[in-house]
Amino acid sequence: MNDFTFHSPTEFIFGRGVEQRAGECMVRCGCRKVLLISGGGSARRSGLLGRVERSLADAGVACVALEGIRPNPTDDKVREGIRLGRLAGTDGLLAVGGGSVIDTAKAIAAGLRYDGDFWDFFAGRATVADALPVGVVLTIPAAGSEGSGNSVITLASTRQKLSLRTPYALRPRFALMNPELTLTLPTWQTACGITDMLAHIMERYFTNTPATTVTDRVGEGLMRAIVEEGRRVAARPDDYDARANLMWAGTLAHNGLCGTGCEEDWASHFMEHEVSALYDVSHGAGLAVIFPAWLQWMAAHHAAKVAQWAERVWDVAPGPSAEAEALEGVRRFRAFLAEIGMPLTFSQLGIAAPDIAALVDGLHRNKGEHVGNYVRLTRCDTEEIFRLAL
Ligand code: NZQ
Ligand code: ZN
């Protein structure tokens, strides 16, 4: 087991009606002029945004709205938010939505405390030393941004989708998590979220670090719970307890707990970011195509941990070889993804002939010669994995 620091300072307030506490929470963060950020309309239509606005007004918090953040958010909305925030003298941000809205809020929070171009942080030209406080009202369990220090933004002019990873500065101060808010999610978005949270655990689980028994077991238990509750929600979308379990699982999958003491991988995520940078694809759906391809490649090249995952998460019986066990695990994983309605191939995503050369070029330009740690993948390897996803 490696040495580690586990820092998850977000206050998670969980249960029915907790969005009513938005005003009180912003005041506790010392904020009186809030930039209220939301997506393409679901929060407005459901009445959630109205309730949040009332809660802010009741607490004496003024707010300026930035609406219309789209999935796979781009830099233009971050720039608009920084302009609005400067004009209004914003002292805090409240994101009402999922990963795309929260990530935009985080980028604005960093940009408002910086004189240069906020993209410097994403391009690695500057480090976030300070940021305004960010609060969250979560509406979709998926990206885990409510508990992570990361923000993922696409620079529209170059179609570069890059993740900014900060250990401290961008962790939300609080996250209000009402599972009832997720009852309006379309089946497709629920399934994308399930896929993403499984992927967040797997990026950490597939490690060569020895003696990570506790972290392995935490991840395995969570993965099993997500599969179980995912099936329950697919059968009964209005099952509050299943929705609640999925919501909490999404946070634990990505707040760092599942990576304690391990060297993490992240190759599948970086490969997926190339796909959703170029094509209009939900992050979770891209992962449903790429992660099984990555696992299939690993079964042939470094099967040990994949075989353990197959046994402990997918109940595969010990077989004639680690590779055979691993492949059976991948088969069951793909069957689960298909069961919840996820695509398994690029063509199902409507990407007829993915430009693999462009994906590989972008990946290695953004992430360097080698990608991932479980196996350090070369250009040749990542090209093979993209081809397995065809
Ligand atoms: O925009 P609206 O109208 O709100 O609709 C959204 C959006 O179309 C809809 N939605 C959300 N909550 C809803 C709802 N519809 C009905 N009822 C509700 N309660 O769902 C759609 C997807 O929303 P989005 O925020 O894009 O989803 P998600 O949370 O999956 O975020 C994806 C983004 O997060 C990044 C991804 O790359 C992607 O850009 N990630 C961020 C991470 C982080 N910051 O730590 C880690 C992840 O690995 C990921 O890369
Ligand atoms: Zn993800």
Side-chain angles (χ1 to χ4, degrees), residues 1-4 203-216 258-265 302 304-305 308 373-375:
M1 188 175 188
N2 293 341
D3 297 347
F4 66 88
E203 296 284 13
R204 296 164 163 108
Y205 184 84
F206 294 107
T207 181
N208 298 307
T209 309
T212 54
T213 312
V214 169
T215 306
D216 279 3
C258 291
T260 42
C262 303
E263 182 184 49
E264 303 180 2
D265 189 75
H302 188 14
K305 198 89 188 249
Q308 177 182 304
N373 288 310
Y374 183 62
V375 170

Side-chain angles (χ1 to χ4, degrees), residues 35 81-90 110-116:
L35 192 59
I82 293 172
R83 270 196 309 275
L84 271 178
R86 290 224 161 101
L87 273 175
T90 292
L112 280 171
R113 283 279 169 88
Y114 181 61
D115 287 336

Side-chain angles (χ1 to χ4, degrees), residues 196 200 269 283 287:
D196 194 17
H200 292 160
H269 260 71
H283 172 60
L287 287 169

